[in-house]
Amino acid sequence: MPEQFNTLTSRTFVIDQEDIDTDQIIPARFLTTTTRDGLGKLAFHDWRYDSNGKPLENVSLNSLDTGTHQVLVAGRNFGCGSSREHAPWALYDFGFRAVIASEIADIFRSNSAKNGLVPIVAPPEAHDWLMAHPDVEIEIDLADQRVDLGNGPSFHFEIEPFAKHCLMEGTDPLGYLTAQSDAITAYET
Amino acid sequence: MSPEGSRPAPRSLFEKLWDRHLVKAETPETPAMLYIDLHLVHEVTSPQAFSVLAERGLKVRRPDRTLATIDHSTPTLDFAPGETPPYATEAARHQVETLQANTKAQGITLHGWDSPHRGVVHVIGPELGATQPGMTIVCGDSHTATHGAFGALAFGIGTTEVGHVLATQCLLQRKPKSMRINVEGETAPGISAKDIILAIIAEIGVDGGTGCVIEYAGSAIKALDMDGRMTVCNMSIEAGARAGMIAADETTFAWLKGRERVPSGADWDKAVEAWSNYRSDPGAHFDKEVTIDASAIQPMVTWGTAPDTGIAVDAPVPDARSASHAKALNYMKFEAGMPVSGQKVDQVFIGSCTNSRITDLRAAAAIMSGRQVAPGVRALVVPGSVAVRAQAEAEGLDRIFIEAGAEWRQPGCSMCIAMNGDKGEPGQLIVSTSNRNFEGRQGPGARTVLASPATAAAAAIAGHVINPATLMEPAHA
Ligand code: SF4
């Protein structure tokens, strides 16, 4: 189970690119795993390693300290493509706790929130500011649905209330669903 | 809107199916709980879900509503009965065996190695008649929208949700928005469903359907056969949509009749009567509506690394409009102002849940018949299921492919996702009938051009991308 998420103060890591698809986040050939553990080393694999699997030196993701940089900022339509939950698993295991983009693909957003990765859609102005100011300290307050950008503007973000609840509790919704078994039985009969 | 104000409000097909499957309506705090009629399972996105059930001591609630197959990690090479399949990796073998063990333990039907219906999950569901109008269908796979071609509401879900559905047969969902895409008019001869959907996505963009369930309508959609309708719905996710659907009609019923899992006799008549109600009422509300002129659609190819970069095969590649376009052009090694036709091809892939059904193979065979794959080009033809393969062999299509010099493979996802060993090499150009042209999708560094089966087959013959119209006349023997 992911950790509970309340507030996070962290520096941002910016990938200035739109339409980052799940094949970039974790290439399909690594999906033969049967567990969800240890996928962080495969996050953005083909950007980070050469064809012999050697880490590329000039790629900043390879030297990124996720102790200080837990917020990924990227361009529009982040996480498009496949429904693979391996994508948020890999990002979480890599050390990211939140993703900020001007638009986040539906399935990825829903998968993230179940795995401790807070998906934040920023309004255009704040998003532009974040893209233009890489590596800044920000504060995310999930309860308040607010991001403070230090010396930039702060902004409010929307998050589906149940997803927010699960992120704050560090639970997934399975317990909620199994508790509704009477309603399910009633529907079935 | 209605003057009396008392008639029930007209509803769209999507709203009818949504309402019918509500176990609990949504509230401000909680999403709706939707009952799922059919849950399709494959080896890649299910193992972690079965593990969660095991950890919590839960059983699969409705094994009878769950159907599994193996497709993504499975080799497409021949092997003798009794032999171990030639898996690309140990991990792939382990993944398949994990699904075999999980389905056995939970009493779920698995169309595995010995089944005459093994195949790509979105091919076998309809083929078995498990996919039916009016159903809610989910699968841990973003191309689940394929099943919407039958007037079903079909969502791709993540692995956590696979666990939810296994344990409770329910899915938590906020009600999506709705969008209708009308494709009106007649397509030119030789234009396929793939050209239509590539044109639609080029028009509305990779995020044009985000948050929406798309209903495809209009005369050009009605004119499509079921294989074509599946091709269209299949790529809904490539426009960001949650689902895509087409109302069931006579074409749908005729296709389904007599299939293994559909009702027969008097029950069939009753089913058809019920299914006929699942269509949008006149005046139903859609949050967005788009109309596309079918007569203007040409054979389409993509020039970039996102599926919305479709253009007519002979049209010039557009100038880069953004940094990501420039990056895509650079990756593809294409030049703005030059058409994609004429680009030298290394591999051709005919297959995937988008285009691996019998009519797709017929279209490819019609082009390849009596011709030869160009020297230096490798062409892979991968049928969608064991049944499609058998049908193609009964029609002699396999001979056409083999005599042309193409490889006739066993069914599976194959080079669509390149996780079973079938893949492109760095820098290679692949004309592919699949649905995604993302960087590295078909192997690290491989460059993908998405196209229809006819266009892909024509590229294999010519050795470069070419308008398939030039090869649509039969070859001289
Ligand atoms: S054929 Fe491709 S898109 Fe379809 S299910 Fe298989 S991997 Fe996914």
Side-chain angles (χ1 to χ4, degrees), chain A residues 4 23 38 47 59 64 80 86 89 98 105 107 118 126 139 145 176 181:
Chain A
Q4 297 179 344
D23 278 273
W47 295 356
V59 173
L64 188 69
C80 60
H86 309 69
W89 292 337
I107 307 182
V118 183
E139 188 186 333
Q145 299 176 217
Y176 168 80
S181 73

Side-chain angles (χ1 to χ4, degrees), chain B residues 283-302:
Chain B
H285 167 80
F286 291 89
D287 296 298
K288 277 194 210 173
E289 193 140 6
V290 174
T291 298
I292 305 241
D293 174 10
S295 67
I297 298 175
Q298 304 207 22
M300 298 288 285
V301 291
T302 55

Side-chain angles (χ1 to χ4, degrees), chain B residues 269-331:
Chain B
D269 296 333
K270 262 194 265 162
V272 169
E273 203 187 313
W275 293 344
S276 302
N277 294 319
Y278 301 132
R279 56 190 57 163
S280 293
D281 298 327
H285 167 80
F286 291 89
D287 296 298
K288 277 194 210 173
E289 193 140 6
V290 174
T291 298
I292 305 241
D293 174 10
S295 67
I297 298 175
Q298 304 207 22
M300 298 288 285
V301 291
T302 55
W303 58 263
T305 54
D308 65 346
T309 57
I311 48 170
V313 60
D314 294 318
V317 171
D319 291 326
R321 289 191 305 268
S322 64
S324 49
H325 275 180
K327 184 168 176 285
L329 271 182
N330 182 43
Y331 181 86

Side-chain angles (χ1 to χ4, degrees), chain B residues 92-157:
Chain B
R93 184 185 60 78
H94 179 65
Q95 195 170 54
V96 168
E97 289 176 2
T98 302
L99 184 63
Q100 288 167 337
N102 282 330
T103 49
K104 187 157 181 241
Q106 298 280 358
I108 295 167
T109 302
L110 169 67
H111 288 286
W113 285 115
D114 52 355
S115 168
H117 285 288
R118 176 174 55 84
V120 180
V121 64
H122 309 310
V123 176
I124 70 153
E127 180 180 290
L128 286 159
T131 299
Q132 293 172 16
M135 280 186 165
T136 43
I137 300 175
V138 297
C139 175
D141 193 286
S142 56
H143 292 97
T144 308
T146 313
H147 306 267
F150 292 82
L153 179 58
F155 294 114
I157 58 177

Side-chain angles (χ1 to χ4, degrees), chain A residues 1 16-19 21-24 27-36 46-47 51 76-77 80-86 89 103-107 109-111 114-115 160-163 172-178 180-181 183-188, chain B residues 20-24 28-31 33 35 44-45 47-48 51-52 56 58 61-62 73 91-92 94-95 98 140-142 156-161 163-164 167-168 170 172 174 206-207 210-212 237 240 242 324 327 417-419 436 438-439 441 444:
Chain A
M1 274 296 113
D16 186 2
Q17 198 178 312
E18 293 180 353
D19 300 323
D21 58 73
T22 51
D23 278 273
Q24 310 310 312
R29 60 187 186 282
F30 300 123
L31 304 186
T32 47
T33 175
T34 52
T35 74
R36 59 174 78 194
D46 292 352
W47 295 356
S51 53
R76 199 175 54 93
N77 201 26
C80 60
S82 115
S83 63
R84 64 187 71 151
E85 208 156 313
H86 309 69
W89 292 337
E103 191 182 296
I104 299 180
D106 282 336
I107 307 182
R109 182 158 44 166
S110 142
N111 284 341
K114 295 184 182 75
N115 291 284
E160 198 279 308
F162 196 69
D172 90 42
L174 182 56
Y176 168 80
L177 273 168
T178 50
Q180 316 294 322
S181 73
I184 305 170
T185 307
Y187 180 92
E188 281 176 330
Chain B
R20 214 174 86 87
H21 289 90
L22 280 176
V23 173
K24 277 183 93 165
E29 293 78 34
T30 51
M33 240 172 101
Y35 194 78
V44 177
T45 53
Q48 298 88 349
S51 303
V52 168
R56 304 204 191 177
L58 296 167
R61 183 180 178 96
R62 294 298 298 266
S73 323
H94 179 65
Q95 195 170 54
T98 302
D141 193 286
S142 56
I157 58 177
T159 295
T160 300
E161 291 169 323
H164 295 169
T168 68
C170 287
L172 290 169
R174 289 285 171 188
V206 273
D207 51 1
T210 298
C212 294
I237 182 73
R242 294 292 285 121
S324 49
K327 184 168 176 285
I417 191 162
M419 59 182 290
R436 288 189 173 142
F438 299 147
E439 279 186 25
R441 167 81 175 185

